[in-house]
């Protein structure tokens, strides 16, 4: 199998297993998933804004959804950081 075929096969496997998604849940038990790229963008934008409030605060439906999640241990460090950053941004924006 050539390199192009291997990459296509890998992409198909990743898509089938949703490896590019992170799964979250709300306190009410509703589960949802977000693209890992969107989650990382929220972390970078949110933490950046929290440390430099002279910039415009980040706003998006993804940020709002992530702020409703429970930051439990199953998410790991990145997931917990993303949820806590989103929650803190939403609290600061409401002030």
């Amino acid at each position: 199998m050539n390199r192009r075929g291997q990459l296509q096969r890998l992409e198909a496997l990743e898509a089938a297993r949703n490896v590019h998604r992170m799964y979250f849940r709300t306190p009410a038990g509703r589960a949802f998933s977000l693209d890992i790229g969107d989650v990382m963008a929220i972390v970078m934008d949110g933490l950046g804004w929290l440390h430099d409030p002279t910039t415009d605060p980040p706003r998006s439906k993804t940020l709002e959804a992530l702020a409703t999640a429970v930051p439990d241990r199953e998410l790991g460090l990145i997931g917990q950081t993303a949820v806590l950053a989103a929650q803190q941004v939403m609290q600061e924006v409401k002030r």
Side-chain angles (χ1 to χ4, degrees), residues 2-79:
N2 63 18
R3 180 151 172 80
R4 183 180 182 119
Q6 290 174 336
L7 289 175
Q8 288 174 338
R9 185 171 180 210
L10 179 61
E11 287 173 4
L13 287 170
E14 289 175 343
R17 294 190 178 166
N18 290 319
V19 297
H20 298 291
R21 311 257 334 144
M22 288 186 76
Y23 295 88
F24 302 92
R25 66 178 180 82
T26 65
R30 184 179 72 86
F32 63 96
S33 68
L34 297 171
D35 182 82
I36 187 81
D38 293 340
V39 172
M40 293 307 296
I42 288 170
V43 170
M44 299 306 292
D45 293 346
L47 292 177
W49 176 73
L50 289 168
H51 291 286
D52 184 12
T54 61
T55 61
D56 291 331
R59 296 177 192 264
S60 71
K61 293 291 183 189
T62 305
L63 173 68
E64 292 172 11
L66 190 56
T68 67
V70 175
D72 56 20
R73 287 188 171 171
E74 294 175 8
L75 294 174
L77 180 61
I78 293 172

